[in-house]
Amino acid sequence: MNVGSKPLPYGRQTISDADIEAVVEVLRSDWLTTGPNVVAFEQAFASFVDARHAIAVSNGTAALHVAMLVAGVGPEDEVIVPAMTFAASANAARYVGANVVFADCLEDTLTVDVDDVASKVTARTRAVVAVDYGGQPADLDELLKLTRAHGLVLIEDAAHAVGATYRERAVGSIADLTTFSFHPVKQMTTGEGGMITTNCVDFDEKARVFRNHGITTDHRQREQQGSFFYEMKELGFNYRITDFQCALGSMQLRRLSGWIDRRREIASRYAEAFAAIRGILPLSTLEDRESAWHLYVIKLDLELLSADRAQIFTELRSAGLGVNVHYIPVHYHPYYEGLGHRRGTLPVTERVYEQILTLPLFPTMTDEDVQRVVSTVKEILARHGG
Ligand SMILES: *Cc1c(COP(=O)(O)O)cnc(C)c1O
């Protein structure tokens, strides 16, 4: 343990001087928002994830909300959402007045259990949200089979999974609507930011309208056409992203593949080192998909260890590792309890929640940083019989 060295966060952004220059250049230009850099970023992103359309928005939560709106989800509808996710995946369904039905996850990947989703489809179900937990895609083909059979929309919350692939296809090109987040802790950042991708032209057009107050043209288009006229067709929102954020996004996107390679390298070092520790149960990485490695999550073998997760968490934090827990099951939050969601209903999610810990993982970690995580985890688990 390196006493006195800076705590290692579980994730952090990488910003270069060239990124900063690109942002400053836009700040000196005519368009601070909805300008040429938004369009360029959308096109570059669509091409990166092999999607026909990409719509940039102000954050990943806005992307989920817009996805619900274009999918036509509304009051009285049900949306099936895994509970092992960030609250925003479920909240988006609530924004449009729908009821959330929580699904359990698989023990080995923490992605949604498709059989459990299938058992929860009713006549009111309108959409299913899949979350690519930690960066590893959910079972998208199985989910598409199910959603197609019932006429449901599959919304993939790929906030963890930019750059991931599923059966050789890029995440962003597979579900009916895929949403991404560019929060600084994710693999690439625009400060705050998000993206929706789709292959459906109708969804694309609707998303652009919902992003801009429900208005059919934007300020720049009207200026180019020399016209003041516009119509508000829907009750939309202001979910626009600025031009300078998109300049940053385009710069980040160019380096993304290299960053994911480094994340993968660190993940495999962790996997190798932890294979020898009995108290750690690794998550599975499946052969037919490539994780984008947003998070490195381990499960503690609580039957073997003499301490619980809270104790181990505290010791790792005091040793300077910025460990975290992803996630508190969404149905545990008071807001959802207030809606009648109960504990004891999702056995796998609830059990693994007690076991999970997220370790530091970001591309600028040095080999020494990785070694420090490995030896600190080893040392602390050894104290507790691991
Ligand atoms: C980060 C995240 C979001 C929300 O993205 P923001 O850009 O922070 O709004 C949604 N879902 C999941 C699973 C996330 O990790």
Side-chain angles (χ1 to χ4, degrees):
M1 209 175 319
N2 295 0
V3 179
S5 56
K6 253 173 77 172
L8 264 183
Y10 81 87
R12 78 165 270 126
Q13 71 274 17
T14 308
I15 302 286
S16 68
D17 288 344
D19 289 349
I20 293 166
E21 279 162 29
V23 171
V24 170
E25 196 181 315
V26 179
L27 288 174
R28 296 191 201 281
S29 78
D30 289 340
W31 296 103
L32 293 193
T33 188
T34 320
N37 283 286
V38 177
V39 179
F41 181 40
E42 288 177 338
Q43 285 172 353
F45 195 87
S47 140
F48 185 83
V49 304
D50 211 16
R52 278 194 212 131
H53 311 282
I55 306 95
V57 291
S58 48
N59 57 70
T61 306
L64 283 162
H65 185 186
V66 169
M68 291 291 163
L69 291 162
V70 305
V73 179
E76 315 283 297
D77 288 338
E78 290 173 0
V79 178
I80 303 175
V81 184
M84 183 46 74
T85 184
F86 181 56
S89 315
N91 295 351
R94 297 296 302 145
Y95 296 161
V96 295
N99 291 316
V100 175
V101 176
F102 287 110
D104 212 346
C105 66
L106 299 169
E107 179 96 51
D108 60 336
T109 59
L110 311 196
T111 55
V112 74
D113 177 344
V114 183
D115 291 335
D116 194 47
V117 174
S119 76
K120 287 172 174 167
V121 173
T122 71
R124 290 186 186 277
T125 311
R126 186 71 183 239
V128 173
V129 175
V131 177
D132 301 324
Y133 182 88
Q136 179 163 246
D139 202 342
L140 299 171
D141 279 344
E142 290 304 310
L143 286 161
L144 278 173
K145 221 189 281 173
L146 179 76
T147 52
R148 296 268 145 86
H150 292 90
L152 313 174
V153 179
L154 179 64
I155 297 171
E156 183 181 355
D157 179 348
H160 297 184
V162 61
T165 60
Y166 174 83
R167 299 185 176 159
E168 323 263 288
R169 286 169 286 157
V171 160
S173 67
I174 303 168
D176 299 309
L177 291 149
T178 308
T179 65
F180 296 89
S181 165
F182 307 127
H183 181 279
V185 89
K186 308 287 161 69
Q187 292 94 328
M188 58 172 280
T189 191
T190 57
E192 297 279 356
M195 192 76 81
I196 303 145
T197 62
T198 182
N199 289 327
C200 169
V201 65
D202 182 46
F203 284 168
D204 173 56
E205 284 169 5
K206 286 192 168 125
R208 290 178 193 284
V209 169
F210 279 119
R211 168 178 72 177
N212 188 33
H213 304 283
I215 293 171
T216 46
T217 54
D218 66 41
H219 177 68
R220 188 157 166 264
Q221 288 164 334
R222 286 195 295 282
E223 180 133 325
Q224 282 167 351
Q225 290 157 6
S227 164
F228 71 89
F229 186 76
Y230 63 86
E231 276 181 315
M232 195 199 104
K233 291 207 306 190
E234 304 273 2
L235 183 61
F237 297 82
N238 178 357
Y239 282 161
R240 295 185 306 254
I241 185 170
T242 66
D243 223 47
F244 50 92
Q245 287 174 290
C246 288
L248 177 58
S250 292
M251 293 295 286
Q252 295 257 304
L253 191 58
R254 292 191 208 162
R255 306 207 300 294
L256 178 62
S257 296
W259 289 335
I260 293 173
D261 287 346
R262 175 63 180 157
R263 285 175 177 274
R264 187 170 295 129
E265 192 174 273
I266 296 168
S268 57
R269 284 199 194 189
Y270 279 157
E272 228 167 89
F274 297 148
I277 304 182
R278 293 179 313 146
I280 293 180
L281 306 167
L283 296 185
S284 302
T285 49
L286 303 180
E287 296 265 303
D288 64 350
R289 56 204 88 172
E290 285 258 19
S291 178
W293 290 108
H294 166 48
L295 300 174
Y296 193 87
V297 175
I298 56 169
K299 285 190 293 178
L300 301 173
D301 187 345
L302 297 176
E303 284 174 24
L304 187 100
L305 295 166
S306 58
D308 62 7
R309 195 261 316 275
Q311 171 79 30
I312 291 166
F313 177 96
T314 309
E315 290 181 29
L316 288 167
R317 277 277 177 99
S318 349
L321 299 193
V323 290
N324 220 310
V325 174
H326 296 92
Y327 289 94
I328 299 164
V330 183
H331 66 301
Y332 281 19
H333 290 299
Y335 170 76
Y336 283 100
E337 286 191 319
L339 293 174
H341 295 277
R342 292 283 163 263
R343 296 180 189 221
T345 49
L346 300 169
V348 179
T349 299
E350 295 177 15
R351 186 171 64 248
V352 297
Y353 164 58
E354 306 290 338
Q355 300 176 276
I356 49 180
L357 267 180
T358 305
L359 302 179
L361 176 61
F362 51 94
T364 51
M365 278 178 85
T366 62
D367 291 349
E368 291 70 44
D369 291 333
V370 177
Q371 194 44 49
R372 176 176 152 207
V373 174
V374 167
S375 51
T376 308
V377 168
K378 265 190 188 163
E379 187 184 310
I380 287 170
L381 287 190
R383 287 182 204 158
H384 303 291

